[in-house]
Amino acid sequence: MTSNFVATVANGKIKTGVNETIMRAAASNELKIMLPWNDVERDVDSHTATKNFHVYYANREYIGSDGYQYVDLDWDDIEYYGPETTTICKLEDGEYLFFVHNFSKGYPLSDSESKVEVFLGNSNVPNYPFKVPANTGDNLYWAVFKLHVSNNGTNVQLEEINKLYRNGLELFSEQLGINNPNEHYDDYYYGDDYYRVDGSAPYRNALREKSLAGLFLLNLISLNRRFRIN
């Protein structure tokens, strides 16, 4: 059984080594995205991308040219249930895409019963809930929604996408007009469909690595990384 509840942590201190996940509540001007799933699929991943950045488990924040943190992947979960949480701390004009990747791909993504919940400000209930489509088949990617931001971040419109893709190349090309994400972001992507041309090792906040031949998952998570509070 899983459940969510609101709690207050005094002085930023928590007890670790227990079977709960604690998340920092969003500020009134922030946006929080939560991705929970069940105990069928082991690892489902959150991705937030624009033409300027791609935030996911190997690149967990976007810092703007002004030095402020714009997007933060607060919590990356690799062992069932989640939730993974992403905070959009500051909005800049443009088009944001949020999508989900079935990283462990032991079962169809629909079997994970993944949900995406968008919380506006410090709301305790999701303002925009989404459920993974049924019968996803061999599609590993779920494009969930876009944010259209204008007027210096003050005008925000959410557009539901709810479309499945077999590979990330198709998703980036159709949704963001980016045909080669690796070159565009100067990034090493660990997915099963594209990677850095020179095969070099990941270099930014790497939490895990998948070999190109066997797609072998290597956990690099330390044992004391059970909780994280900013």
Side-chain angles (χ1 to χ4, degrees):
M1 182 179 71
T2 61
S3 61
N4 298 322
F5 61 91
V6 179
T8 301
V9 178
N11 300 322
K13 296 182 179 180
I14 58 173
K15 180 179 179 180
T16 61
V18 293
N19 192 29
E20 289 86 23
T21 300
I22 297 177
M23 296 161 293
R24 176 177 62 84
S28 59
N29 61 339
E30 294 179 336
L31 185 149
K32 179 80 73 176
I33 307 166
M34 184 183 298
L35 168 63
W37 63 98
N38 60 20
D39 61 349
V40 174
E41 193 63 71
R42 182 175 56 80
D43 190 4
V44 181
D45 282 330
S46 304
H47 292 250
T48 307
T50 73
K51 288 184 178 294
N52 297 327
F53 64 83
H54 178 199
V55 169
Y56 64 118
Y57 58 80
N59 184 42
R60 292 179 56 171
E61 64 177 354
Y62 168 59
I63 304 296
S65 58
D66 54 7
Y68 287 98
Q69 183 185 60
Y70 280 70
V71 181
D72 181 30
L73 176 58
D74 308 286
W75 177 252
D76 170 46
D77 195 293
I78 65 170
E79 294 292 342
Y80 305 100
Y81 295 113
E84 295 203 351
T85 62
T86 302
T87 302
I88 299 181
C89 313
K90 186 176 180 180
L91 288 162
E92 61 182 3
D93 290 1
E95 188 175 83
Y96 290 65
L97 172 67
F98 185 85
F99 66 93
V100 170
H101 178 209
N102 184 1
F103 184 90
S104 51
K105 53 184 179 294
Y107 300 88
L109 182 58
S110 50
D111 288 3
S112 72
E113 299 180 333
S114 292
K115 297 187 293 183
V116 170
E117 299 173 330
V118 182
F119 297 79
L120 303 180
N122 49 19
S123 173
N124 295 327
V125 295
N127 301 90
Y128 297 96
F130 304 94
K131 291 184 179 180
V132 66
N135 303 317
T136 54
D138 61 355
N139 293 292
L140 298 177
Y141 295 83
W142 172 31
V144 185
F145 67 87
K146 283 183 178 179
L147 294 177
H148 301 278
V149 184
S150 60
N151 197 25
N152 294 320
T154 60
N155 185 19
V156 183
Q157 293 183 327
L158 188 147
E159 174 193 1
E160 180 177 355
I161 303 298
N162 199 31
K163 185 171 182 178
L164 300 170
Y165 292 87
R166 174 64 184 85
N167 64 70
L169 288 177
E170 295 177 356
L171 181 150
F172 273 100
S173 177
E174 182 171 306
Q175 295 296 334
L176 291 175
I178 297 173
N179 295 319
N180 191 329
N182 293 328
E183 290 184 2
H184 185 88
Y185 297 112
D186 188 27
D187 200 10
Y188 184 110
Y189 186 82
Y190 302 89
D192 56 340
D193 40 41
Y194 55 94
Y195 50 89
R196 183 182 287 274
V197 175
D198 62 9
S200 59
Y203 60 96
R204 286 193 291 182
N205 301 324
L207 300 179
R208 50 208 158 153
E209 180 178 342
K210 187 179 287 185
S211 69
L212 299 179
L215 302 180
F216 175 75
L217 182 66
L218 174 65
N219 290 328
L220 299 177
I221 310 298
S222 62
L223 292 178
N224 63 355
R225 186 193 156 277
R226 179 64 180 170
F227 295 103
R228 178 187 177 204
I229 286 187
N230 291 336

